[in-house]
Amino acid sequence: MPARLGIERQARSSRIIAWVGVMMLCLRFWNGSGYIKYMVIFSRFDKMISRVIIRLLLLAMMVTPGLLAAAPRTEPVLLVFGDSLVAGYGLETGESFPDELGRALTGEGRDVTIINGGVSGDTTAGGASRIDWALADRPDAVIVVIGGNDALRGLSPDAMAENLDTILGTVQRDGLPLLFAGMKAPGNMGADFGRDFDNAFADALKKAKLRARATDGTVIFYPFFLEGVALEPTLNQDDGIHPNPAGVAEITRRILPSVRQLLDAAVMKTF
């Protein structure tokens, strides 16, 4: 379980203990005229009850120091990790995929904090080297969108498979629900490269699912992040690679059901 969710569960337990103590205190000092007043406890039984109440209240304060000073964050935190398709290359501030996704979720009444973990130009090797750093923000779920630059640069699909496995394995190490978005190699890279590229994603996905099965984790695969947008001139910028705002909106619309499933899994892990 993620550390922050464990702390929130501990805080919830301490609040229950505190409320039990308060309710016992109210019952102990409640008189028939409908108000609470101070009473001097004389009997041995009354003294024992009072000690139990005091210990319960002290335990509540000890379990989570600072509980009264700061309430735990309740909305899930979603990290979107990837390259320029996540960072929002060529777009204005507020037009990136994480921004559009956040607006779509808010429109459905979901309170979600979204972290944009995109770095333009990043490859799977770069992603593998920084995934630990990205997870330092302690998200509750992660979307991974990376690999397009490996294809554009003609990098080794075998190395990409290892890098993807490192990224996904690191996310799963922390017990986080995962949405893994696939990519496709451009047709001009040749059929053999395209096949090997697809196999790299398939291999990484297979290993991630095996880990999830062993740990009762969640792995959701979205086959092609640019589905319905790639090669559509009206949905892409002048470079023909990066989506424009309309393209980002279409990506969000298509992937939203998978994101809902991911967030539901993240919420279930808190119980």
Side-chain angles (χ1 to χ4, degrees):
M1 182 185 346
R4 185 173 61 76
L5 296 183
I7 292 172
E8 290 181 1
R9 184 174 295 180
Q10 190 180 49
R12 187 163 56 243
S13 300
S14 68
R15 286 198 298 273
I16 293 172
I17 294 172
W19 275 110
V20 169
V22 170
M23 290 174 66
M24 290 178 65
L25 193 62
C26 290
L27 289 174
R28 177 64 192 86
F29 292 126
W30 180 266
N31 77 348
S33 35
Y35 62 92
I36 300 173
K37 68 179 183 179
Y38 176 76
M39 296 179 62
V40 180
I41 303 172
F42 292 102
S43 70
R44 181 178 303 174
F45 179 74
D46 283 343
K47 291 179 179 178
M48 180 184 69
I49 294 296
S50 298
R51 284 196 294 269
V52 170
I53 294 172
I54 292 171
R55 288 174 181 175
L56 278 172
L57 294 174
L58 288 174
L59 178 59
M61 290 184 288
M62 292 173 61
V63 168
T64 309
L67 175 63
L68 298 179
R73 184 174 59 192
T74 56
E75 72 275 8
V77 176
L78 173 61
L79 169 66
V80 186
F81 181 84
D83 50 31
S84 56
L85 296 176
V86 173
Y89 175 85
L91 300 173
E92 298 293 332
T93 301
E95 293 182 343
S96 70
F97 167 66
D99 292 312
E100 182 67 20
L101 179 61
R103 284 189 289 270
L105 293 171
T106 299
E108 295 184 347
R110 290 179 182 260
D111 294 325
V112 182
T113 298
I114 299 184
I115 300 172
N116 187 329
V119 174
S120 293
D122 208 7
T123 63
T124 57
S129 69
R130 68 182 178 89
I131 183 62
D132 272 310
W133 173 82
L135 292 175
D137 287 316
R138 297 185 299 168
D140 300 311
V142 179
I143 299 175
V144 173
V145 184
I146 201 165
N149 288 312
D150 292 65
L152 293 175
R153 299 178 190 180
L155 301 180
S156 166
D158 289 338
M160 186 180 73
E162 294 180 6
N163 296 330
L164 287 172
D165 185 50
T166 296
I167 294 170
L168 303 186
T170 303
V171 172
Q172 292 179 289
R173 177 200 64 195
D174 289 351
L176 302 175
L178 168 68
L179 172 54
F180 180 32
M183 292 298 298
K184 299 291 184 181
N188 61 2
M189 299 300 295
D192 289 343
F193 183 88
R195 182 190 61 250
D196 293 342
F197 187 88
D198 290 343
N199 287 340
F201 277 88
D203 290 346
L205 176 64
K206 181 179 179 180
K207 293 177 181 178
K209 286 187 172 181
L210 287 174
R211 285 189 294 264
R213 192 174 300 122
T215 60
D216 195 26
T218 297
V219 175
I220 303 164
F221 184 56
Y222 187 75
F224 184 31
F225 183 71
L226 296 175
E227 182 68 37
V229 175
L231 304 180
E232 292 291 337
T234 60
L235 298 179
N236 285 281
Q237 299 175 40
D238 292 340
D239 62 9
I241 297 174
H242 296 93
N244 58 27
V248 171
E250 180 63 14
I251 292 170
T252 302
R253 184 185 71 81
R254 289 173 177 264
I255 202 173
L256 193 56
S258 297
V259 176
R260 294 190 194 108
Q261 185 182 351
L262 177 73
L263 292 174
D264 288 343
V267 170
M268 288 301 296
K269 287 187 70 66
T270 66
F271 295 99

